[in-house]
Amino acid sequence: MSATSTIVAIDGPAGAGKSTIAKALAKRLELDYLDTGAMYRAVTHAAIERGVPLDDAVAVGEVARGITILVTDGRTCVDGVDVSDLIRGTIVTSGVSTVAANSEVRRVMRDLQRAWGDERPGGVIEGRDIGTIVFPDATLKVYLTASPRVRAQRRVGQVGGDLEETERSIVERDHKDSSRSDSPLVTSADSVVVDTSDRSVDEVVEEIVTLVEGRHGSERA
Ligand code: DC
């Protein structure tokens, strides 16, 4: 990133509201938005499609290096084919934690994400390791969170399913994402923790806009 670019990192667990907030924030700040979870999902889908076992770290790393991933305007393409719907299905969702724990995959995704940031005047980037690893010098690092119960309720509201079961799987995925050795989901000392449990999207977006403006103000001071 250049010294003048505005990078807003939005990290946090599944269901904290990252996508909704990050998209609205990008619109409000007139910046591009990048969903890095979609990139890990795209690699997972490509590996499954090629019959590569997800626990074969070397082969999955090769898949990540060999494909072209394009994430724009809410759509995700792999080698020119739109896989946006497929990457949200249960097969990819249940395999993606394994792929996200693969260090070679992470290295390739990190390089792509940094290149994305370098190509534009800034962006709002959503993921798990954006403020800690990918853009450690981001203008603002936000760690969005919400209670497991609220996150499960949101998920059931979107796609249906059993609340208890959904909450259990959310807690399990959190544990996997935060205990992996490479780039675990953690807060950093300089991130702002925002709990979205009892707050509207607009409220949270306004709070973050104020924080971004504050950063720019302190840069100018
Ligand atoms: O946000 P999501 O549910 O689409 O993310 C899919 C998976 O990818 C999830 O297991 C977390 C992982 N992920 C990651 O490890 N690092 C990121 N920057 C983004 C997502």
Side-chain angles (χ1 to χ4, degrees), residues 11 14 18 35-38 40-41 88 96-97 100-101 106 113 126-130 134 173 177 180 183:
D11 291 306
K18 293 190 302 295
D35 171 7
T36 62
Y40 288 95
R41 288 173 180 272
R88 303 287 159 195
V96 68
S97 288
R106 297 206 74 84
Q113 291 153 15
E126 160 200 345
R128 303 293 193 285
D129 61 340
I130 306 306
V134 184
R173 193 137 71 96
D177 288 339
R180 68 175 174 233
S183 315

Side-chain angles (χ1 to χ4, degrees), residues 69-130:
I69 305 172
L70 200 65
V71 181
T72 47
D73 298 329
R75 309 304 296 175
T76 303
C77 292
V78 173
D79 295 334
V81 177
D82 191 324
V83 295
S84 312
D85 297 330
L86 286 168
I87 63 169
R88 303 287 159 195
T90 48
I91 299 176
V92 168
T93 299
S94 60
V96 68
S97 288
T98 305
V99 172
N102 180 316
S103 292
E104 176 61 5
V105 172
R106 297 206 74 84
R107 188 190 65 73
V108 176
M109 295 305 111
R110 195 171 57 227
D111 288 353
L112 290 173
Q113 291 153 15
R114 286 181 180 155
W116 184 94
D118 286 343
E119 281 161 11
R120 36 185 56 77
V124 177
I125 307 169
E126 160 200 345
R128 303 293 193 285
D129 61 340
I130 306 306

Side-chain angles (χ1 to χ4, degrees), residues 49-71:
E49 206 183 32
R50 287 161 176 72
V52 171
L54 300 184
D55 56 2
D56 184 339
V58 173
V60 175
E62 263 168 40
V63 171
R65 284 198 304 274
I67 57 176
T68 303
I69 305 172
L70 200 65
V71 181

Side-chain angles (χ1 to χ4, degrees), residues 144-216:
L144 274 193
T145 187
S147 70
R149 177 50 63 115
V150 167
R151 289 155 56 203
Q153 280 164 343
R154 287 176 183 164
R155 175 120 191 109
V156 169
Q158 282 164 354
V159 297
D162 178 69
L163 184 61
E164 303 289 334
E165 178 61 36
T166 305
E167 186 175 347
R168 256 197 306 280
S169 89
I170 280 178
V171 171
E172 193 184 316
R173 193 137 71 96
D174 283 357
H175 177 69
K176 268 194 187 169
D177 288 339
S178 54
S179 61
R180 68 175 174 233
S181 58
D182 191 343
S183 315
L185 170 66
V186 286
T187 55
S188 60
D190 54 354
S191 62
V192 181
V193 178
V194 177
D195 190 322
T196 67
S197 299
D198 306 309
R199 306 181 58 204
S200 73
V201 172
D202 286 349
E203 269 171 20
V204 175
V205 169
E206 284 316 308
E207 178 182 346
I208 300 174
V209 168
T210 305
L211 289 166
V212 173
E213 286 169 354
R215 295 295 155 105
H216 283 311

